[in-house]
Amino acid sequence: MLAALAWRNLWRRKIRTWLSVASMAFATALLVFMLSFQLGSYATMKANALRLFEGFARIEPAGYTDDPDVRRMIADPEAAAAAARKVPGVSAAAPRAAAYVILANGERSYGAALDGVDPAREPRVSTLSATIRQGRYLKEGDDDAIVLGDALARDLGLKLGDRVTVLGSAADQTVAADSLRLVGVFHTGLGDVDRQVAEMPLARFQDTFAMYGAANVVVLGGESLGEVTRALPAVRAALGDKSLKVQDWGALMPGLKQAITLDFSTSMFWYASLVVVVAFIILNTLIMSALERTREFGMLLALGMRAEKIAGMMWLEMLFLAVMGAGAGIAVGGAATLWFEGHGIAIAGLEGLMAQWGLPGRIYPTLSAVSALSGPLAIVASVALGGLIPYGRVRALKPVAAMRAA
Amino acid sequence: MPSEAPIVSCRGLKKRYRTGAVETVALNGVDLDIAPGDFATLAGPSGSGKTTLLNLIGGLDTPSEGEVVVDGVRLGELGKNALTDLRLRKIGFVFQAYNLIPVLSAVENVEFILQLQGVAPAERRARATAALKEVGLEGMEDRRPGFLSGGQQQRVAVARALVSRPSIVLADEPTANLDSKTAGELIDLMARLNAEAGASFLISTHDARVIARSRRHIELTDGRVTSDSAAAREPA
Ligand SMILES: Nc1ncnc2c1ncn2[C@@H]1O[C@H](COP(=O)(O)OP(=O)(O)O)[C@@H](O)[C@H]1O
Ligand SMILES: [Mg+2]
């Protein structure tokens, strides 16, 4: 009957109750949507940025992240790739070799990051091959082929079919020199990549740079970033060569990770403010209703209802209010999120963070347990906590004073 | 009757209120016994201390001096919760107004007490329905207080006060808001229930017709008992 009583008390002031529920629902819906949007855009950002080139994770020699020297090598990349592929969640493993080189065409020369990639496996860990604008991507059987970013090709004044000279430092400290033919030009939209990256077949790279079948890294791919990230401990355990390191996306793109962390902590501040405001609205409703009913509480005390019980009834009223508001908010916010999850939200002229990390024009919010529940739970929890104030007040009521209250 | 232990016993009761620098002496040394089955009225001018006395007997407030014993229990020795529980089990209250819980129906208002006492639902409903029938409200069980007249509301309050079978019913000017016909009916009802149920009644009132129906009459003036018809019959 306490619950029934609390429920009926709630509807003594219908408009006020509806207003409280509505404001809570609104704030909750906003939280659900914003959080879904934010987490969704992070996921898109991460996936797009990583998929393009870095990959979701990679195996590398110790110290390679800090000093990516061509001489830091994985002696048997095929063994590492095979071990990683066996771990559930990892569906692709592609060895790569990488060196900073000078590319030259006649008088013109530019520095570039040249990667030796396996044309068969590379497209499964990197979407760079899909950004080819002219010509084609590397294919199996290619030997002296190279693909360049469009800005780099333009800077060097190269056309498809032209030869380009590669000059670098080989793994055995000797000079690495080669002459390759431009077969394709890509455009990723990321300035640095288009201006600095070049790819050639891994086998030829290994010859040119005296690597004898070794590689610098093994890039891992899979269905989703989360899946691959979760598989990493198992990959680590599966590797025969214990000197190798397995790096997750945060280590590969520390800048992106920092940007996301910063962006998220800024918005946490706003979310927290919203939660506090809503908690105050509900609390205010409750305190008003407690004041109005002081005389009635006095009567209940006189009849023999313990003060804790009366306070508990009030607390229950507030909890009902909070749960209704949060429930409605989850429903509305969740529905809106699901709709946009299907349709995407066009982001016009968005500079900075998103453009920098290669986001497409649309963002897809993702509804997850975290985005749907953490906001509402925070609201319900802070309301329940704030409710201890009126709880304490009611508990301290004395029957005569309460009955004499106006 | 004189040999029976009193249901309520007040000794040397004093109650002072302090409002800022002003001290009001609401009760100034009250000695009073209420015997089992008494049907007593408490009269006196406004401000003479009637409400204060009922509140002290009912354990709603604590005396500045003196002692109240209800059914053998010294109220001064009880903590807050024990006092609340004593009110629940031993005392029935009828106030002048704001007696009922507005969101509960008549029968739920009566049941409420039994629920606080932990009575099982089926028994609760049966006893509450019977109590409403006793006060002549059969058929109105499901009405909320807002849909009952003032007299009917007070009857619900009487039913509720008696449903828990208390030792004493304390009624503070229960007829003050009723017209004289309805007031007379309410008093008749209480007198009948007193005779049938055996619970003692202490009713504060201004109403001469109410006083006329009582079997014992107590006068309070300036916080002292100035006349008691029982004392006249049985000198202490
Ligand atoms: N809570 C209180 N605070 C201050 N004065 C009070 C309080 N309750 C009663 N009084 C005073 O005590 C006196 C007796 O009051 P009360 O018992 O209500 O008398 P009655 O019920 O006979 O009208 C009055 O002077 C009243 O103003
Ligand atoms: Mg009074």
Side-chain angles (χ1 to χ4, degrees):
Chain A
M1 201 186 246
L2 202 62
L5 194 55
W7 178 252
R8 288 191 208 171
N9 278 329
L10 208 53
W11 297 104
R12 281 160 95 153
R13 300 273 184 152
K14 287 199 180 60
I15 293 182
R16 191 164 72 190
T17 299
W18 275 126
L19 279 177
S20 306
V21 169
S23 54
M24 247 200 86
F26 177 75
T28 309
L30 204 64
L31 275 179
V32 169
F33 184 78
M34 297 286 287
L35 209 57
S36 301
F37 179 83
Q38 202 170 13
L39 296 181
S41 59
Y42 292 159
T44 314
M45 249 188 270
K46 283 191 278 192
N48 284 19
L50 296 164
R51 254 197 202 110
L52 177 67
F53 186 66
E54 299 288 348
F56 287 158
R58 73 184 182 202
I59 302 168
E60 61 179 39
Y64 188 81
T65 302
D66 296 326
D67 178 20
D69 190 305
V70 70
R71 282 169 296 177
R72 293 184 195 274
M73 289 182 288
I74 302 174
D76 188 354
E78 292 308 329
R85 278 288 317 268
K86 285 207 186 81
V87 174
V90 178
S91 61
R96 265 188 208 160
Y100 288 100
V101 297
I102 294 190
L103 296 183
N105 176 30
E107 298 285 278
R108 306 188 194 202
S109 64
Y110 284 89
L114 176 63
D115 288 86
V117 301
D118 173 358
R121 281 178 282 179
E122 184 67 13
R124 305 196 55 190
V125 298
S126 154
T127 54
L128 191 112
S129 60
T131 65
I132 292 290
R133 278 283 175 84
Q134 298 168 45
R136 61 169 177 81
Y137 189 64
L138 303 173
K139 64 173 199 279
E140 273 180 278
D142 270 348
D143 180 30
D144 63 346
I146 189 169
V147 292
L148 300 177
D150 58 354
L152 186 56
R154 192 163 56 249
D155 288 344
L156 286 166
L158 290 169
K159 302 186 305 296
L160 290 181
D162 287 350
R163 291 225 153 243
V164 56
T165 304
V166 177
L167 271 177
S169 170
D172 60 1
Q173 308 272 31
T174 61
V175 171
D178 205 348
S179 170
L180 304 170
R181 207 162 42 80
L182 183 64
V183 298
V185 171
F186 58 82
H187 175 80
T188 63
L190 298 188
D192 286 351
V193 174
D194 293 338
R195 202 171 302 113
Q196 289 175 8
V197 173
E199 289 188 354
M200 65 180 285
L202 177 62
R204 173 101 176 198
F205 189 106
Q206 286 166 330
D207 287 348
T208 304
F209 287 82
M211 293 176 81
Y212 305 102
N216 295 113
V217 299
V218 175
V219 181
L220 305 181
E223 268 305 301
S224 70
L225 177 57
E227 220 170 274
V228 172
T229 305
R230 277 190 295 279
L232 295 185
V235 171
R236 233 166 249 134
L239 287 178
D241 181 348
K242 293 302 170 195
S243 73
L244 297 181
K245 295 275 171 282
V246 179
Q247 303 283 27
D248 66 8
W249 73 272
L252 300 184
M253 287 199 143
L256 176 60
K257 187 163 191 170
Q258 268 169 24
I260 286 177
T261 308
L262 182 70
D263 185 68
F264 194 65
S265 30
T266 315
S267 37
M268 274 319 281
F269 172 77
W270 293 110
Y271 294 157
S273 313
L274 194 60
V275 167
V276 168
V277 168
V278 173
F280 269 116
I281 291 176
I282 304 290
L283 218 59
N284 181 51
T285 307
L286 205 75
I287 289 176
M288 262 162 68
S289 122
L291 284 176
E292 281 168 9
R293 288 191 281 156
T294 305
R295 199 195 279 258
E296 190 177 313
F297 290 163
M299 183 259 292
L300 293 173
L301 280 170
L303 293 182
M305 186 171 183
R306 287 190 182 188
E308 295 95 274
K309 224 169 186 172
I310 301 176
M313 177 181 76
M314 290 281 303
W315 198 73
L316 213 57
E317 286 175 30
M318 190 180 51
L319 218 59
F320 281 149
L321 205 62
V323 169
M324 271 195 292
I330 292 175
V332 172
T337 305
L338 283 179
W339 196 85
F340 282 110
E341 197 168 326
H343 294 75
I345 301 169
I347 306 288
L350 202 66
E351 310 294 317
L353 190 63
M354 310 234 180
Q356 186 186 338
W357 299 108
L359 270 189
R362 282 182 171 271
I363 292 195
Y364 295 83
T366 346
L367 191 65
S368 64
V370 171
S371 67
L373 298 181
S374 55
L377 279 180
I379 290 184
V380 172
S382 49
V383 164
L385 209 67
L388 294 177
I389 300 168
Y391 183 92
R393 283 187 62 128
V394 171
R395 255 195 61 157
L397 278 182
K398 294 211 159 58
V400 171
M403 280 192 294
R404 281 172 67 97
Chain B
M1 219 160 81
S3 59
E4 254 178 298
I7 271 297
V8 172
S9 171
C10 306
R11 286 295 169 266
L13 268 195
K14 290 193 179 175
K15 180 68 180 178
R16 291 181 287 269
Y17 293 109
R18 188 176 289 281
T19 323
V22 185
E23 193 182 69
T24 313
V25 181
L27 290 181
N28 195 9
V30 170
D31 297 303
L32 183 69
D33 286 339
I34 306 289
D38 258 358
F39 190 73
T41 48
L42 181 64
S46 186
S48 58
K50 302 183 294 294
T51 298
T52 302
L53 180 56
L54 290 178
N55 286 347
L56 294 186
I57 294 174
L60 293 175
D61 209 349
T62 48
S64 310
E65 277 176 45
E67 176 177 74
V68 179
V69 181
V70 174
D71 209 5
V73 179
R74 292 164 194 273
L75 300 194
E77 291 171 359
L78 300 182
K80 188 178 150 191
N81 283 337
L83 212 51
T84 308
D85 293 347
L86 176 124
R87 290 198 295 270
L88 177 63
R89 292 178 193 282
K90 303 217 158 167
I91 296 170
F93 285 99
V94 180
F95 303 106
Q96 182 178 331
Y98 304 107
N99 258 305
L100 304 179
I101 302 167
V103 294
L104 298 185
S105 69
V107 71
E108 286 169 338
N109 260 286
V110 178
E111 258 191 274
F112 186 68
I113 296 292
L114 297 176
Q115 176 172 29
L116 290 179
Q117 288 189 348
V119 176
E123 185 190 341
R124 220 153 69 196
R125 181 54 59 118
R127 275 170 69 181
T129 309
L132 282 177
K133 193 174 170 189
E134 277 292 310
V135 300
L137 289 178
E138 207 176 358
M140 306 209 181
E141 291 87 352
D142 295 329
R143 292 201 193 176
R144 290 204 183 177
F147 297 92
L148 294 171
S149 71
Q152 289 166 338
Q153 288 184 34
Q154 290 304 71
R155 282 164 184 264
V156 176
V158 169
R160 183 184 59 190
L162 282 166
V163 77
S164 61
R165 300 175 188 135
S167 311
I168 185 165
V169 174
L170 301 172
D172 192 5
E173 309 207 28
T175 60
N177 290 348
L178 304 179
D179 62 64
S180 60
K181 178 169 172 285
T182 316
E185 285 166 5
L186 189 73
I187 288 299
D188 286 342
L189 172 69
M190 291 200 277
R192 178 169 62 79
L193 292 173
N194 165 253
E196 287 171 7
S200 310
F201 278 72
L202 181 58
I203 307 164
S204 85
T205 184
H206 284 304
D207 192 329
R209 276 161 305 189
V210 173
I211 296 164
R213 283 184 173 84
S214 70
R215 285 190 277 118
R216 177 180 174 188
H217 181 62
I218 302 153
E219 280 280 339
L220 211 56
T221 316
D222 291 341
R224 284 174 193 276
V225 175
T226 47
S227 102
D228 184 346
S229 61
R233 289 198 304 270
E234 322 145 6

